[in-house]
Amino acid sequence: MPTILNPDLRRALADRVRFYNELGIYDFYRRGQSIAQTESALIEAEPQGESSSQPELREEMSPRKSAVVAKPADENIFEVLNARPEQSVTDPVAALKLIREDLGDCTRCKLHKQGRKQIVFGVGNPQADLMFVGEGPGADEDVQGEPFVGRAGQLLNNMIKAMGLRREDVYIANVVKCRPPGNRTPERDECDTCSPFLMRQIAVVKPKVVVALGAVAAKNLLAINAPMSELRGRFYDFMPSGARSSDPNWQGAKLAVTYHPAFLLRDPRQKGEAWKDLQMVMKYLGLKPPSQNV
Ligand code: SF4
């Protein structure tokens, strides 16, 4: 016999789902928990301090992870609210456009009021086999509205060329889409707020390989905290959070980690190591190296 949700809980669930949708999160999974437990949890789900005795509620509030909600007897509210706009189209160009429209003139994190000139969404082949993900826009990117167009961008272009590809063959994006002031490292809350849109971009492009450029990108994509020396040199199985693993056309990407081009500009001795990372990717993608190196 189906459980009938009380109307207040139903409204609270719908409001919560809308809240996550606003953050760009559309997919939810069900934790093995009774309706009664969840109802009680939702009623008490105000933000808790460090000493909270309900760690799973803090987890639920973290926008980096899928929201945890119980599956109610009446699922229609989720069927309607969970649908991401881009899932209504099959053309990746149109899908990326819908994500950009969903992002809008974004004010979801504090970077919107710290001097950004514009949002830097992403650029490249919407069906690329290879995707590069950096940390965030710098000054040149902020002016031009395109990722990796400054000196670091020129080096990335050379790296792409050395792989036997052109810039327009790959897709390029960042973890955060607004320039952090003074090119500081984006903060955790900024990455957590913005990265769901990156995850949606990856889910649309469906690359075979994602290359994380630098530790910030690697840690945000993989949700692990480790030094570059441990992150590099291997492939990770990667499925962007929120992507439907049941998509018959795409079972996720391989993810490799290498140095950010800006770091390589500061320490050119590491270019050889970066080249090893790219060669690993080339081998996987069956790319033939042209004569010149990075
Ligand atoms: S960094 Fe991302 S979440 Fe923050 S304001 Fe810019 S687009 Fe919005």
Side-chain angles (χ1 to χ4, degrees), residues 103 106 108-109 111-112 116 119 176-178 193-194:
L103 190 62
C106 185
R108 291 172 178 82
C109 85
L111 287 179
H112 84 277
R116 81 166 182 212
I119 290 170
V176 296
K177 301 187 187 307
C178 299
T193 306
C194 203

Side-chain angles (χ1 to χ4, degrees), residues 20-37:
Y20 280 113
N21 287 176
E22 277 293 301
L23 293 177
I25 298 167
Y26 288 85
D27 287 295
F28 303 87
Y29 67 88
R30 179 171 57 145
R31 171 173 287 177
Q33 187 178 33
S34 76
I35 293 285
Q37 282 175 310

Side-chain angles (χ1 to χ4, degrees), residues 23 100 103-113 116 118-120 137 175-179 189-197:
L23 293 177
R100 180 65 189 87
L103 190 62
D105 188 19
C106 185
T107 57
R108 291 172 178 82
C109 85
K110 60 184 179 297
L111 287 179
H112 84 277
K113 56 182 179 186
R116 81 166 182 212
Q118 58 187 310
I119 290 170
V120 180
V175 173
V176 296
K177 301 187 187 307
C178 299
R179 183 193 180 197
D189 62 311
E190 296 157 358
C191 294
D192 285 355
T193 306
C194 203
S195 60
F197 291 93

Side-chain angles (χ1 to χ4, degrees), residues 214-235:
V216 171
K219 289 174 186 176
N220 275 280
L221 289 168
L222 294 170
I224 54 176
N225 197 6
M228 283 295 281
S229 56
E230 288 176 24
L231 291 167
R232 291 181 46 247
R234 53 163 289 198
F235 278 122

Side-chain angles (χ1 to χ4, degrees), residues 37-285:
Q37 282 175 310
T38 306
E39 181 167 1
S40 144
L42 275 168
I43 288 164
E44 297 168 22
E46 293 305 313
Q48 304 288 312
E50 284 298 310
S51 61
S52 166
S53 60
Q54 300 181 50
E56 62 276 17
L57 285 185
R58 291 202 304 277
E59 183 183 20
E60 183 182 346
M61 293 300 291
S62 168
R64 279 217 74 246
K65 297 175 181 169
S66 299
V68 180
V69 296
K71 186 179 182 183
D74 177 0
E75 291 181 308
N76 289 343
I77 53 173
F78 294 113
E79 284 173 13
V80 173
L81 291 169
N82 285 357
R84 301 187 219 170
E86 66 271 22
Q87 288 171 342
S88 64
V89 297
T90 52
D91 174 20
V93 175
L96 289 170
K97 192 160 172 275
L98 286 170
I99 298 172
R100 180 65 189 87
E101 284 170 7
D102 199 15
L103 190 62
D105 188 19
C106 185
T107 57
R108 291 172 178 82
C109 85
K110 60 184 179 297
L111 287 179
H112 84 277
K113 56 182 179 186
Q114 296 191 346
R116 81 166 182 212
K117 288 190 171 54
Q118 58 187 310
I119 290 170
V120 180
F121 183 66
V123 70
N125 179 355
Q127 294 179 293
D129 283 344
L130 178 58
M131 182 161 174
F132 288 95
V133 175
E135 180 177 310
D140 295 311
E141 291 75 18
D142 188 39
V143 169
Q144 296 187 42
E146 186 173 321
F148 286 95
V149 291
R151 283 184 66 225
Q154 284 169 13
L155 179 54
L156 178 62
N157 291 348
N158 290 342
M159 292 160 72
I160 293 167
K161 202 170 160 191
M163 299 176 80
L165 295 169
R166 301 164 305 165
R167 180 177 167 99
E168 53 268 37
D169 293 327
V170 306
Y171 193 88
I172 308 171
N174 284 306
V175 173
V176 296
K177 301 187 187 307
C178 299
R179 183 193 180 197
N183 289 349
R184 66 160 169 78
T185 302
E187 293 171 2
R188 174 68 189 269
D189 62 311
E190 296 157 358
C191 294
D192 285 355
T193 306
C194 203
S195 60
F197 291 93
L198 169 67
M199 298 294 180
R200 289 167 61 186
Q201 286 171 283
I202 298 172
V204 165
V205 175
K206 299 182 173 63
K208 289 180 180 158
V209 176
V210 175
V211 175
L213 297 167
V216 171
K219 289 174 186 176
N220 275 280
L221 289 168
L222 294 170
I224 54 176
N225 197 6
M228 283 295 281
S229 56
E230 288 176 24
L231 291 167
R232 291 181 46 247
R234 53 163 289 198
F235 278 122
Y236 302 80
D237 290 324
F238 176 71
M239 176 64 77
S241 55
R244 298 203 184 283
S245 56
S246 58
D247 184 343
N249 299 317
W250 191 61
Q251 299 307 315
K254 294 291 179 193
L255 190 146
V257 178
T258 194
Y259 293 114
H260 193 287
F263 172 79
L264 295 174
L265 288 172
R266 291 195 300 275
D267 187 357
R269 291 169 305 174
Q270 301 303 325
K271 282 185 177 180
E273 289 299 303
W275 181 235
K276 283 184 200 164
D277 299 329
L278 298 183
Q279 284 178 310
M280 180 179 80
V281 172
M282 290 164 64
K283 190 173 175 193
Y284 181 80
L285 292 174

